Amino acid sequence: MENKRVTNSLSTVQWFIFLLANAVALPIVIGGIFQLSFEQISTLMQRTFFVVGISSFIQGCFGHKYPIADGPAGSWVSIFVILGNLAFIQGQDQMHTLQILEGGLIVAGLLLIVLGTTGLVYRLQFLFTPLVSGSFLFILSLQLSGVLVKGMLGLQGTSAEPDVMAALISFFIFGLVIFLSIKGRGWISSYAVLIGIGLGSGLFAALGKVRLTFTASTPVLKFPQIFAWGVPQFDLGIVITSLLFTFLLVSNTISSISAVKQVVLVVPKDEKTALSRGIWTGGISHILAALFSTIGVVPLPASAGFMKLTGQKRIRPFLMACLLLTVIALMPSVVNVLALLPAPVASAALLATFVQIVGIAFQSLLREQLDHRRLTILGITLLVSIGLMFLPPAVFQSLPSTLRYICSNGLLVGTILAMLLEQLWKGEKKISHYQKI
């Protein structure tokens, strides 16, 4: 009994660290882009932790009911980055831009709620074939790998010079996590991510790269501020973009559930409705993200990589970790301590989980024979989407706002392109319906 409690506690801690690691880096990135003060970044981090904890718990209890962590969406980050850079170049009010993004989150959230509660998502399910889902996971991995590798190099905000020592530690931790997960035995393999983050944080602290930033005046308890960026604004360009973006969010949920199903042996009894529940719950998560002024949160496909890497597949420790993160988010002094988790170490641990996601992406692609038609669709999708990722933001500045948001997002363009080619180019044997979630 005692061993079981210890195991549950360690599993909860590891899930907590995973939730934290996914939530801590992107607020720092967004804060740098929008030139937010340290205090604003700190409160953004608090609100992000709060929304991630609540959203993940709701999904685990009432949504898809899988141990899938919610976290800031890399796909949403791209839109934040585009609008932030544009506002900076044109000398626009950064807070007004953030209010427009709040409006976009609300639009996407409402549409997700409609799709999930009415069952309309099932009518769209035929669009998300194994080829589309595999392409999505692969492009997502490539897109976020750029963000994570930059984080490992210590390139944050406007910093253009890599931190050599941070990079050495990060790549060491990246290799260590993978090595322990493959070669480690017993609990060592299961807690590879926790060991790596703990060791990496210790090395950063020993080198004096971790500094306390909170003061004695920090309140013990503080509820996250509502509409911290101001009242949401609705811009036609972001509204149209959000409507199209909903397809990407649906694909994200389907890909997350499909990836986790390949790892988790026990599935919910009412699995048939897991997708619709996950979709409308995701809509609520987006409304919460707008309400508490954070980046949009989505089910993270990286959860499957984390579970495969660590063997953590049970729902109870996951739910306990979600509640723990939610409660801790109400304690600003604790949030400031957790925010000391070195971003390079967090990035290294997350990149290790994406190694597994790339494998899951290939497994999805290979569920159907890669004939000439599918190989051609895959090639076109990857070349166009990855090519767009290499273009500088200035290339899209002359486009209308709606096209600017869409064309500069390689993940969005690639996913929609794969869907269109799958449907318009009929093969000899066309699978009429995607495998039920």
Side-chain angles (χ1 to χ4, degrees):
M1 180 64 71
E2 190 65 30
N3 289 337
K4 186 175 182 180
R5 288 180 180 176
V6 172
T7 300
N8 286 335
S9 298
L10 289 175
S11 298
T12 298
V13 170
Q14 186 153 251
W15 269 117
F16 173 79
I17 294 294
F18 181 71
L19 288 164
L20 178 67
N22 276 286
V24 73
L26 293 183
I28 296 174
V29 174
I30 296 302
I33 292 169
F34 284 89
Q35 299 181 323
L36 302 180
S37 66
F38 169 77
E39 182 180 355
Q40 289 174 318
I41 294 175
S42 179
T43 54
L44 171 59
M45 198 168 291
Q46 180 201 15
R47 298 193 304 270
T48 302
F49 291 167
F50 185 75
V51 171
V52 165
I54 289 181
S55 177
S56 300
F57 183 82
I58 292 175
Q59 282 281 19
C61 277
F62 310 106
H64 47 61
K65 297 186 178 180
Y66 286 97
I68 303 176
D70 274 17
S75 46
W76 268 116
V77 169
S78 61
I79 293 183
F80 273 70
V81 170
I82 293 162
L83 286 183
N85 288 332
L86 183 64
F88 176 76
I89 292 172
Q90 297 181 351
Q92 298 174 348
D93 182 13
Q94 300 278 22
M95 284 299 155
H96 178 69
T97 302
L98 289 170
Q99 290 164 17
I100 290 175
L101 287 163
E102 284 179 343
L105 288 169
I106 291 175
V107 171
L110 291 174
L111 186 53
L112 286 172
I113 291 174
V114 171
L115 290 175
T117 54
T118 61
L120 288 175
V121 67
Y122 290 115
R123 296 176 180 266
L124 300 175
Q125 200 173 353
F126 72 95
L127 294 172
F128 304 100
T129 63
L131 179 60
V132 172
S133 295
S135 299
F136 171 84
L137 289 173
F138 189 68
I139 299 170
L140 177 67
S141 300
L142 294 179
Q143 184 184 63
L144 290 183
S145 67
V147 176
L148 296 176
V149 170
K150 285 181 65 177
M152 291 169 66
L153 294 174
L155 298 174
Q156 298 178 9
T158 57
S159 174
E161 292 293 328
D163 185 329
V164 177
M165 187 58 64
L168 290 174
I169 295 174
S170 299
F171 280 100
F172 167 71
I173 296 301
F174 171 71
L176 178 66
V177 171
I178 294 176
F179 176 80
L180 291 180
S181 65
I182 297 173
K183 297 294 185 179
R185 295 185 178 182
W187 65 272
I188 293 179
S189 175
S190 298
Y191 300 104
V193 172
L194 185 58
I195 293 170
I197 288 180
L199 179 59
S201 299
L203 290 174
F204 266 74
L207 293 172
K209 290 182 173 293
V210 176
R211 296 181 177 87
L212 296 178
T213 51
F214 61 94
T215 64
S217 61
T218 303
V220 177
L221 291 174
K222 183 180 179 182
F223 192 79
Q225 183 180 355
I226 294 175
F227 292 136
W229 294 333
V231 180
Q233 303 292 322
F234 295 92
D235 173 80
L236 180 60
I238 197 66
V239 168
I240 295 174
T241 303
S242 298
L243 294 176
L244 290 174
F245 209 70
T246 304
F247 284 95
L248 192 61
L249 299 173
V250 172
S251 180
N252 185 98
T253 303
I254 289 177
S255 298
S256 298
I257 294 175
S258 298
V260 168
K261 280 178 63 180
Q262 297 181 44
V263 180
V264 179
L265 299 179
V266 180
V267 298
K269 294 180 181 178
D270 48 352
E271 182 190 5
K272 186 176 180 181
T273 58
L275 175 60
S276 61
R277 289 197 311 264
I279 294 297
W280 67 256
T281 307
I284 293 176
S285 299
H286 274 68
I287 301 295
L288 287 173
L291 184 66
F292 290 101
S293 301
T294 70
I295 310 164
V297 297
V298 296
L300 299 175
S303 300
F306 171 79
M307 285 187 281
K308 201 168 184 180
L309 202 64
T310 63
Q312 305 296 337
K313 305 175 184 180
R314 292 176 297 125
I315 190 72
R316 185 175 178 181
F318 168 76
L319 294 177
M320 294 299 294
C322 297
L323 290 177
L324 180 61
L325 183 62
T326 304
V327 172
I328 283 179
L330 302 177
M331 306 174 186
S333 58
V334 179
V335 170
N336 286 337
V337 173
L338 293 177
L340 296 175
L341 174 66
V345 174
S347 298
L350 291 180
L351 190 65
T353 65
F354 271 96
V355 172
Q356 302 294 330
I357 291 301
V358 172
I360 293 173
F362 280 112
Q363 287 176 353
S364 180
L365 291 170
L366 294 173
R367 283 163 64 184
E368 297 177 341
Q369 182 183 359
L370 286 179
D371 54 17
H372 175 72
R373 168 183 165 274
R374 291 190 178 91
L375 282 173
T376 303
I377 293 174
L378 179 62
I380 294 172
T381 298
L382 294 181
L383 287 175
V384 173
S385 59
I386 296 172
L388 289 173
M389 294 179 192
F390 283 100
L391 296 178
V395 171
F396 307 99
Q397 288 177 12
S398 60
L399 297 175
S401 60
T402 304
L403 290 178
R404 188 187 309 131
Y405 307 151
I406 295 171
C407 294
S408 58
N409 192 318
L411 181 61
L412 177 60
V413 172
T415 304
I416 292 178
L417 185 59
M419 288 180 186
L420 290 175
L421 290 175
E422 270 274 68
Q423 299 306 313
L424 295 178
W425 184 2
K426 302 293 184 180
E428 293 181 3
K429 283 188 176 182
K430 177 64 182 172
I431 297 178
S432 61
H433 205 71
Y434 179 62
Q435 206 172 21
K436 297 209 178 215
I437 296 298

